[in-house]
């Protein structure tokens, strides 16, 4: 049973910043906060930001790419035509979050600010070199998504700050991306591990750039640069994929009571090739 709590609906970003500076807890969809409150977390008050118009917009521009307001829900992301066309790994990630009800209420801002190492929108954001726009008493600043997470449930946000939006640059012509999540059962499950792949190739099929991400195997979602290097510079072959999988295996440091560390690491080695295959298949479909 929840204890009575104070919920203040804020109308604009100024009110939200001032509320946060004065100790109010930012409240978006509530799907994480209400669980924490059920477990005993107490706040002096909650600042509901879900009615602030700027935070609810999702826009696409041919030059600048995609801008997703912090309060855009996972369902809105999944059904957006530009996300579907250009950022399929984000659709993969958001569609794996909880249930329909959770995706209808839960927001992308809440997902990254909750900063679970298993957050399903985070890996895809790292794949697409996203930046996070933040507002606070001192104005606005931007942080690369990779630097936004500092530990389990920890981010670069100061007390008076909140996330305004997430920006994903325009993708290139010949590329493919995918995000796969391993769960013990089909729904409502935090991922055991997740892998993300993005490959960018030239007209001769040479991989010019790559991103490899892992979630739930470190204190934050991570990029595996050694695995990216293994994919880059030549055609994507069974050998380069296995090399990338080996580097990812070595990097993963899963710490969970739910599975043995070795089993989770083995799953990394199994999932990286599957994710590369899907990313390459998507790239071929688009070219
Ligand atoms: C049954 C269930 C299943 C779930 N399954 C998954 C899953 O499979 N994968 C997954 O990744 N997540 C899962 N979640 C977690 C959750 O749904 C997501 O993290 C969701 O995106 C959180 O968004 P929200 O808007 O509900 O956040 P809230 O609960 O409103 O907030 C979460 C945290 O972020 C802060 N916050 C929110 N918005 C901002 C902002 N703009 N600026 C600063 N701080 C902010 C809040 O203060 C709070 O600390 C699940 C949750 C439930 C209840």
């Amino acid at each position: 049973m929840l204890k009575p709590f104070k919920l203040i609906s804020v109308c604009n970003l100024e009110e939200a910043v001032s509320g946060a500076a004065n100790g109010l807890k930012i409240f978006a969809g509530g799907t994480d906060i209400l669980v924490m409150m059920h477990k005993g977390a107490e706040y002096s008050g909650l600042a509901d930001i879900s009615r602030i118009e700027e935070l609810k917009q999702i826009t696409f521009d041919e030059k600048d790419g995609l801008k997703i307001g912090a309060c855009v829900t996972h369902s809105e992301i999944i059904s957006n035509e530009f996300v579907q066309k250009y950022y399929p790994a984000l659709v993969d990630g958001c569609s794996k979050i909880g249930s329909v009800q959770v995706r209808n209420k839960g927001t992308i801002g809440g997902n990254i600010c909750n900063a679970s190492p298993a957050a399903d929108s985070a890996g895809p954001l790292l794949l697409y070199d996203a930046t996070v726009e933040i507002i606070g008493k001192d104005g606005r600043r931007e942080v690369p998504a990779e630097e936004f997470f500092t530990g389990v449930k920890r981010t670069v946000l100061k007390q008076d700050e909140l996330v305004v939006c997430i920006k994903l640059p325009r993708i290139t012509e010949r590329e493919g991306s995918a995000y796969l999540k391993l769960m013990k059962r089909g729904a409502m499950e935090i991922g055991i591990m997740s892998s993300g792949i993005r490959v960018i190739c030239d007209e001769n099929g040479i991989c010019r750039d790559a991103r490899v991400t892992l979630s739930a195997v470190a204190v934050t979602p991570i990029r595996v640069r050694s695995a990216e290097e293994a994919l880059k510079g030549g055609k994507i072959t069974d050998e380069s994929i296995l090399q990338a999988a080996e580097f990812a295996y070595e990097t993963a440091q899963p710490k969970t009571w739910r599975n043995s560390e070795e089993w989770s690491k083995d799953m990394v080695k199994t999932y990286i090739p599957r994710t590369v295959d899907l990313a390459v298949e998507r790239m071929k479909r688009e070219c």
Side-chain angles (χ1 to χ4, degrees):
M1 181 83 168
L2 279 181
K3 290 187 187 153
F5 58 89
K6 188 167 78 177
L7 180 72
I8 298 162
S9 186
V10 292
C11 303
N12 54 49
L13 286 171
E14 268 173 31
E15 277 183 28
V17 168
S18 134
N22 289 315
L24 294 182
K25 178 80 173 157
I26 299 292
F27 181 99
T31 61
D32 276 316
I33 293 185
L34 290 170
V35 173
M36 292 188 272
M37 289 167 72
H38 269 286
K39 287 180 179 164
E42 288 184 34
Y43 306 106
S44 60
L46 305 172
D48 181 356
I49 57 170
S50 63
R51 295 197 183 151
I52 301 177
E53 211 44 50
E54 182 179 349
L55 305 184
K56 288 163 45 177
Q57 308 296 324
I58 177 164
T59 55
F60 179 77
D61 177 275
E62 285 294 338
K63 190 165 135 289
D64 295 333
L66 189 73
K67 190 167 153 185
I68 312 174
C71 287
V72 173
T73 66
H74 302 298
S75 295
E76 287 165 340
I77 291 171
I78 296 163
S79 60
N80 183 277
E81 60 174 312
F82 298 107
V83 183
Q84 288 175 3
K85 187 166 179 196
Y86 298 121
Y87 308 94
L90 189 57
V91 177
D92 294 336
C94 291
S95 47
K96 287 284 177 290
I97 293 179
S99 59
V100 174
Q101 292 90 334
V102 172
R103 293 193 289 273
N104 283 347
K105 288 303 286 179
T107 63
I108 190 160
N111 194 234
I112 63 167
C113 293
N114 187 53
S116 157
D120 281 305
S121 70
L125 295 181
L126 265 54
L127 284 183
Y128 295 120
D129 298 331
T131 52
V132 181
E133 186 175 311
I134 294 167
I135 191 167
K137 278 191 306 193
D138 298 331
R140 298 196 186 216
R141 64 184 176 118
E142 287 191 15
V143 176
E146 195 184 3
E147 291 166 23
F148 181 77
F149 305 100
T150 54
V152 179
K153 303 261 176 192
R154 297 170 77 93
T155 69
V156 296
L157 287 179
K158 300 181 195 138
Q159 188 184 324
D160 61 290
E161 288 184 322
L162 62 138
V163 170
V164 177
C165 65
I166 296 134
K167 296 175 182 170
L168 286 71
R170 179 80 161 89
I171 61 152
T172 56
E173 288 285 301
R174 290 175 174 273
E175 69 168 81
S177 50
Y179 173 88
L180 292 182
K181 173 179 180 179
L182 172 64
M183 297 179 284
K184 271 204 173 149
R185 54 195 164 93
M188 310 280 276
E189 177 81 339
I190 292 296
I192 293 166
M193 59 77 39
S194 307
S195 54
I197 298 285
R198 178 179 175 204
V199 286
I200 302 171
C201 293
D202 65 18
E203 57 283 0
N204 300 314
I206 306 295
C207 180
R208 293 294 171 204
D209 207 355
R211 296 284 177 277
V212 177
T213 66
L214 291 175
S215 305
V217 297
V219 293
T220 66
I222 51 168
R223 266 177 71 181
V224 188
R225 286 184 167 73
S226 51
E228 294 172 0
E229 291 305 317
L231 293 174
K232 275 157 61 173
K235 293 203 169 178
I236 296 172
T237 60
D238 288 349
E239 288 70 35
S240 66
I241 296 172
L242 286 178
Q243 182 72 80
E246 189 62 40
F247 283 132
Y249 170 88
E250 283 166 15
T251 306
Q253 291 189 312
K255 293 270 176 287
T256 164
W257 51 268
R258 293 184 299 157
N259 320 287
S260 79
E261 184 177 334
E262 199 48 38
W263 183 78
S264 297
K265 279 170 77 79
D266 282 345
M267 289 301 104
V268 168
K269 220 190 259 185
T270 306
Y271 266 64
I272 289 286
R274 288 184 194 175
T275 322
V276 177
D277 285 349
L278 182 55
V280 170
E281 187 193 311
R282 284 176 174 167
M283 178 176 64
K284 286 183 178 158
R285 232 185 283 153
E286 289 303 315
C287 293

